[in-house]
Amino acid sequence: MSEEKVTTDIITLTRHVLDEQRKHKEASGDLTVLLNAIQLGCKFVAANVRRARLLNLIGLAGGTQNISGDEQKKLDVISNEIFINALRSSGKVAVMVSEEDEEAIIVEDGLKGRYCVVFDPLDGSSNIDAGVNVGTIFGIYRVAEGSSGTVEDVLRPGNEMVVAGYCMYGSSANMVLTVGNGVNGYTLDNAIGEFILSHPNIKVPSRGKIYSVNEGNTKYWNEACQEYFHSLKFPPEGKNPYSARYIGSMVADVHRTLLYGGIFAYPDDKKSKNGKLRLLYECYPMAFLTEQAGGKAITGHKRLLDVVPENIHSRCPIFLGSKDDVEDVEKLYKKYSK
């Protein structure tokens, strides 16, 4: 009986980031330290998600609501505290924006760094009682030249982000990350406590076979949306209809879209005039990742990363995924805007 070969030369997330850092002689290493803090936060949250039922972390936190109007779960509150503490203590962050906090968090001078981090600490937490995948979404900006680190440093379009990623917590913890030169996926090995490179150089297929949208809102959609999704279900003779897959947890739906292609959408409609998802810490990071993986992300009318946020909790419609699929939506929006 042959012995199982053990791989000893593994590529961890830290090693991968350090390898990238060496290619840029001007790099200070601050971003590497910051990404280590985010990793730590993700590991801590992953452990709490796995143990949530046993630790009685599921349920509402004293009947409170976050800034977006979602009822806060106990695990939401804990995850938020985990990330705030990990980021602040890294000494590399000047400004933090969290879905759970009404105001931006300005880090005190002794610990202030040159980066701003926007994040949703536990996206999809309303589904956690049902065992559905949840996740953390984050994006990183550099503090603007000459700024001491204010809220204005995050009120910038997504095309100025330098890093974006998410960590999905389910049967395994998977981190997907871009530092602006492609997208890589890592899986947490609980035995050694490290994220291991498992999905190098993720590329979205140019066209997919899956659409992901909340069809319960169909009656509120505009004509472009109605025609587009109808065309996927009732294609011309000789073409197969698309499959519908909608989990209701953005991280899980986007993760599947990145790997298998197709389209994920949360459009604006008569009920939600500006869409439902938040621009800074949900739409921008996912749009950045999608573009870096060869896909496309739009509001319907324009490139999503070019939208300028009005405030830190601005909402925005989103269509992202395979380039050809998203361009089909774009054509219909142009048709009806005329």
Side-chain angles (χ1 to χ4, degrees):
M1 186 175 168
S2 61
E3 286 187 18
E4 186 181 341
K5 193 174 189 308
V6 177
T7 303
T8 54
D9 187 24
I10 53 176
I11 301 175
T12 65
L13 174 53
T14 305
R15 171 180 163 182
H16 208 200
V17 171
L18 285 170
D19 286 347
E20 287 300 315
Q21 184 186 312
R22 288 188 199 101
K23 295 175 187 174
H24 303 277
K25 291 195 170 67
E26 74 285 0
S28 63
D30 284 4
L31 196 55
T32 305
V33 174
L34 180 51
L35 286 171
N36 270 335
I38 289 173
Q39 270 195 82
L40 175 63
C42 291
K43 290 172 189 175
F44 199 171
V45 173
N48 278 293
V49 168
R50 283 198 309 274
R51 296 182 298 165
R53 178 68 69 187
L54 296 172
L55 296 180
N56 196 27
L57 296 180
I58 290 174
L60 299 181
T64 57
Q65 286 192 332
N66 64 18
I67 184 60
S68 301
D70 303 325
E71 289 187 316
Q72 283 182 303
K73 299 272 185 171
K74 293 176 188 175
L75 205 51
D76 271 345
V77 177
I78 291 171
S79 301
N80 193 43
E81 290 172 359
I82 287 169
F83 277 99
I84 289 170
N85 290 332
L87 293 169
R88 178 185 273 123
S89 63
S90 74
K92 305 302 176 188
V93 179
V95 183
M96 292 180 268
V97 171
S98 166
E99 187 198 22
E100 305 300 327
D101 293 298
E102 189 169 352
E103 304 292 336
I105 299 164
I106 309 298
V107 177
E108 59 272 26
D109 284 344
L111 287 170
K112 190 173 278 192
R114 298 299 300 164
Y115 289 96
C116 309
V117 184
V118 294
F119 60 97
D120 182 348
L122 203 64
D123 176 72
S125 59
S126 61
N127 292 318
I128 200 165
D129 290 11
V132 172
N133 285 9
V134 293
T136 300
I137 309 172
F138 59 89
I140 301 175
Y141 291 95
R142 280 194 187 91
V143 172
E145 199 67 43
S147 171
S148 61
T150 70
V151 70
E152 297 303 318
D153 287 302
V154 296
L155 292 178
R156 290 148 64 190
N159 56 37
E160 294 185 35
M161 265 187 184
V162 293
V163 175
Y166 62 80
C167 189
M168 183 174 70
Y169 314 113
S171 55
S172 59
N174 298 92
M175 186 180 287
V176 175
L177 181 74
T178 181
V179 292
N181 58 353
V183 179
N184 291 292
Y186 309 83
T187 301
L188 181 62
D189 183 335
N190 291 307
I192 61 172
E194 290 285 353
F195 281 99
I196 309 298
L197 181 64
S198 55
H199 295 77
N201 196 25
I202 293 171
K203 291 291 179 192
V204 186
S206 59
R207 185 174 288 282
K209 300 174 183 177
I210 298 170
Y211 71 93
S212 184
V213 67
N214 183 357
E215 292 192 88
N217 291 328
T218 303
K219 68 178 279 189
Y220 306 114
W221 287 348
N222 58 38
E223 291 174 298
C225 265
Q226 296 215 8
E227 183 175 330
Y228 175 70
F229 288 108
H230 185 271
S231 74
L232 298 185
K233 292 182 282 188
F234 301 94
E237 199 64 44
K239 287 193 172 182
N240 293 322
Y242 277 43
S243 297
R245 298 284 185 275
Y246 185 68
I247 299 166
S249 171
M250 189 190 191
V251 170
D253 281 315
V254 171
H255 188 68
R256 183 198 55 248
T257 304
L258 284 177
L259 295 182
Y260 302 154
I263 189 164
F264 166 82
Y266 212 114
D268 55 337
D269 56 36
K270 292 170 190 165
K271 194 172 64 168
S272 306
K273 303 287 186 199
N274 298 313
K276 182 167 180 278
L277 299 177
R278 270 69 62 174
L279 188 55
L280 270 186
Y281 41 78
E282 290 179 325
C283 295
Y284 280 163
M286 294 309 202
F288 188 11
L289 284 163
T290 302
E291 286 196 3
Q292 284 293 314
K296 194 163 183 173
I298 62 170
T299 64
H301 299 284
K302 65 189 290 187
R303 182 189 180 211
L304 196 144
L305 289 177
D306 292 339
V307 176
V308 180
E310 293 177 8
N311 60 68
I312 61 172
H313 297 294
S314 289
R315 297 175 188 262
C316 186
I318 186 169
F319 298 86
L320 65 75
S322 296
K323 189 169 178 285
D324 293 351
D325 288 312
V326 175
E327 285 176 354
D328 288 344
V329 176
E330 206 167 22
K331 285 173 194 164
L332 285 170
Y333 266 82
K334 281 178 182 164
K335 169 185 162 183
Y336 283 102
S337 65
K338 289 175 184 173

